[in-house]
Amino acid sequence: MTSNFIEMAALTDVGSVRQFNEDSIVADLRIGAAVLADGMGGHRAGEVASRLATRVVQESLRTQRHRFGAAADPHSPLRAIEQSINRANQAVFEAAQAEPAYHGMGTTLSVALFFDDRVALGHVGDSRIYRFRNGILQLLTRDDSLLRDQIDLGLISAADAGASHNRSLVTRAIGIEQHVRAQLHEDDAAPGDVYILCSDGLNDLVDDTDIELIVGSLRANLPLAANHLVQAAKDNGGHDNVSVILVKVRKRPGGWFARLVGWLWR
Amino acid sequence: MAKLVLSSGGSILYQCFLDGERVTLGRAPRNQVVIDDPGVDPEHAVVTTVGNDHILEDLRSANGTFVNGARVFLHILQHGDVVQFGTFFLRYLNPKASAEMDLDRTMLVTGLHGNRPTPESIPSAPQSRVRSARPTSVHFPKGRVRTLEGVRAGEIVDLDRVVTLIGRPADDLAVITRRPHGYFITHVEGRRRARVNGRSIGNDARVLRHGDTIEVAGQKLEFLPG
């Protein structure tokens, strides 16, 4: 999938062990948005929560899309994300209250919205957003997880974290309480950058160094890179659902010359 | 539920379920687990419960704390671990944690509060990398490719990573993927597909077999399994 400024590839897989896929992904080129959610809750309620959250975010961003872009208020994309996450939280919370089978359901949620030469990010839970730039993979989100808390408080070292049994315990999720506070962050998106949204079924099974190697090697063929990431997680055990959205920032047509022409024509 | 089992000379002396937040170990009678050995400090070590983890911490004891023969200061206990205190053995049993399926289900818990960043801001500084929980049961083959022609003829490259590129980036490029059941070659970019034994590999992954000849971007290589 390609628009004139980004290219996207998205893949979700039930994994090698699970019966159901509780992850949901949306990659919408028209609004330049990538949305990924990893649901939780019994009797397939996790699937309901993650799907509802991604759809509400997509719809909310679509209705607000005309309000940001080149000439608009520079802060509005982040506000649009915050609002879309709040709406998703409200929708999942209300659905969980209304239907006993859905009680206690929730979901992680990661959102990336690309506009001009920037990207706005929103995050709740432990579905990560990475950026691959100039050969280096960097994690842009902080996991809302007990394991991350343990490391940050010095209770265990990052090197020992692989031995922890706490990696699936999230400390914040969509749909659990009436209000949720999301991590929000804006970043410049340079041509050649690849943004990676993934569920923990990827980063629990594939080391960051291998994610870096796969994205770095195969970024010329984004669907192949997505396919290799999911395949690597399954080859390493794949005991969770695995989802990934890759977004590559393309070179601006014309670059400085087009901008100069644009300026002369004003 | 997880428990600690204290034994000496082959007989079980005491069992303690890890249902509290803190279980102390030492020679002094006020400890939950009392270990009556002269080599053990009055307050020797402590086991703290955090989520699904039970973390053993040595309290700067004179003789140290050893898990499965290795000295530890801070250790996340694993099902079956044996902690030695002089002539005493303390075994950690947590059958639930050994069945990894249950633990993979995402669940919501209350976070730990300390001096942590405000939730709204995403840290810009690089975070310490957390290793993936890759099971050690997965075995990968060890293959190589040997260059057949040109100035680099005879050169051997180990295929010891998940992906190895061959060819030329931004031109004709293929990838060799290491998987548990063997190696595969796939087209990445470029007009001309790589050829194996003289035939184009097409668009799908193609398995590599002993002695296969690979041609891509003017290079000729031979695949050698490990």
Side-chain angles (χ1 to χ4, degrees):
Chain A
M1 289 188 293
T2 309
S3 78
N4 52 9
F5 74 114
I6 53 168
E7 181 187 343
M8 292 207 260
L11 197 57
T12 181
D13 193 289
V14 68
S16 314
V17 176
R18 292 273 172 85
Q19 256 185 302
F20 307 117
N21 191 350
E22 297 191 318
D23 291 356
S24 291
I25 53 173
V26 165
D28 190 330
L29 269 182
R30 282 175 305 165
I31 55 175
V35 190
L36 184 146
D38 177 357
M40 62 187 105
H43 304 289
R44 308 185 70 167
E47 211 175 313
V48 174
S50 67
R51 191 167 304 163
L52 184 57
T54 50
R55 295 295 129 78
V56 169
V57 168
Q58 181 183 26
E59 198 46 46
S60 170
L61 291 178
R62 185 184 293 158
T63 56
Q64 296 181 75
R65 181 67 184 164
H66 65 277
R67 285 178 22 204
F68 45 85
D73 173 3
H75 299 295
S76 63
L78 264 190
R79 274 216 297 273
I81 284 192
E82 188 175 26
Q83 198 177 92
S84 74
I85 290 176
N86 287 339
R87 282 187 187 162
N89 185 67
Q90 191 75 23
V92 177
F93 182 74
E94 279 168 11
Q97 300 297 309
E99 172 64 52
Y102 297 161
H103 188 72
M105 74 176 176
T107 182
T108 71
L109 187 57
S110 286
V111 187
L113 180 64
F114 293 81
F115 59 99
D116 297 334
D117 51 1
R118 299 189 68 72
V119 57
L121 308 173
H123 171 84
V124 175
D126 67 348
S127 298
R128 294 181 167 179
I129 305 177
Y130 293 93
R131 181 189 63 205
F132 177 89
R133 174 180 286 175
N134 299 330
I136 293 164
L137 185 79
Q138 197 189 339
L139 178 60
L140 299 179
T141 50
R142 180 189 186 279
D143 293 346
D144 292 318
S145 72
L146 193 61
L147 187 58
R148 188 75 245 171
D149 285 0
Q150 283 177 273
I151 295 165
D152 288 354
L153 293 175
L155 298 176
I156 57 170
S157 72
D160 290 340
S164 175
H165 309 108
N166 287 341
R167 51 179 65 246
S168 298
L169 302 183
V170 299
T171 54
R172 200 185 296 259
I174 295 289
I176 303 299
E177 288 168 13
Q178 197 128 30
H179 300 285
V180 71
R181 287 166 84 189
Q183 294 175 40
L184 299 166
H185 176 65
E186 207 177 293
D187 196 14
D188 63 311
D193 283 357
V194 181
Y195 284 79
I196 301 144
L197 286 78
C198 65
S199 61
D200 63 343
L202 179 73
N203 56 268
D204 272 359
L205 286 161
V206 184
D207 274 336
D208 284 2
T209 47
D210 280 346
I211 296 176
E212 185 177 274
L213 180 67
I214 290 169
V215 174
S217 302
L218 305 179
R219 64 189 189 282
N221 186 335
L222 225 48
L224 186 67
N227 173 285
H228 266 69
L229 290 170
V230 170
Q231 181 177 282
K234 290 172 77 176
D235 282 352
N236 287 340
H239 42 70
D240 198 354
N241 308 142
V242 197
S243 301
V244 63
I245 307 177
L246 300 178
V247 186
K248 185 161 71 180
V249 182
R250 289 155 59 87
K251 282 198 177 63
R252 253 137 242 290
W256 66 269
F257 182 71
R259 264 180 247 165
L260 180 69
V261 172
W263 180 78
L264 289 171
W265 274 91
R266 280 204 298 195
Chain B
M1 179 173 288
K3 63 179 178 180
L4 297 172
V5 182
L6 184 70
S7 64
S8 184
S11 52
I12 292 173
L13 303 176
Y14 182 69
Q15 296 197 42
C16 167
F17 284 98
L18 292 166
D19 49 3
E21 213 171 81
R22 250 172 95 84
V23 171
T24 58
L25 314 152
R27 189 159 38 87
R30 60 179 169 274
N31 290 289
Q32 275 103 320
V33 179
V34 181
I35 304 165
D36 193 15
D37 187 289
V40 173
D41 280 15
E43 277 96 32
H44 196 101
V46 62
V47 175
T48 315
T49 302
V50 183
N52 292 323
D53 281 342
H54 300 104
I55 303 170
L56 173 69
E57 186 182 355
D58 179 75
L59 298 173
R60 301 178 188 207
S61 63
N63 293 324
T65 299
F66 294 82
V67 177
N68 307 326
R71 184 160 191 179
V72 299
F73 297 94
L74 200 60
H75 174 77
I76 301 170
L77 288 165
Q78 304 293 315
H79 178 60
D81 272 353
V82 177
V83 193
Q84 192 173 359
F85 298 96
T87 58
F88 290 77
F89 293 95
L90 188 73
R91 184 178 284 273
Y92 170 76
L93 297 171
N94 190 1
K96 184 171 158 256
S98 64
E100 50 185 322
M101 301 328 228
D102 280 19
L103 293 166
D104 281 330
R105 282 215 94 79
T106 305
M107 289 192 333
L108 186 80
V109 296
T110 310
L112 303 173
H113 297 285
N115 295 326
R116 53 181 196 151
T118 56
E120 295 76 24
S121 71
I122 291 175
S124 52
Q127 298 170 63
S128 48
R129 285 187 169 182
V130 176
R131 283 195 62 77
S132 69
R134 179 159 40 202
T136 47
S137 56
V138 183
H139 290 288
F140 289 96
K142 289 189 174 80
R144 292 164 298 158
V145 283
R146 182 171 60 197
T147 308
L148 293 175
E149 289 171 1
V151 285
R152 289 160 70 188
E155 196 176 284
I156 287 178
V157 175
D158 287 327
L159 302 170
D160 54 358
R161 303 196 291 181
V162 59
V163 289
T164 305
L165 290 175
I166 55 170
R168 268 192 291 270
D171 186 18
D172 292 328
L173 191 67
V175 61
I176 297 179
T177 311
R178 186 191 62 179
R179 305 194 61 189
H181 48 297
Y183 285 89
F184 295 79
I185 183 169
T186 316
H187 174 72
V188 179
E189 64 175 325
R191 263 187 324 111
R192 286 160 305 173
R193 300 282 188 274
R195 303 175 84 79
V196 173
N197 302 331
R199 293 182 62 180
S200 166
I201 59 170
N203 290 324
D204 298 324
R206 186 200 188 282
V207 67
L208 288 173
R209 297 198 177 84
H210 185 111
D212 276 352
T213 309
I214 306 160
E215 290 165 90
V216 57
Q219 296 171 36
K220 197 167 184 182
L221 308 155
E222 184 186 10
F223 174 71
L224 307 164

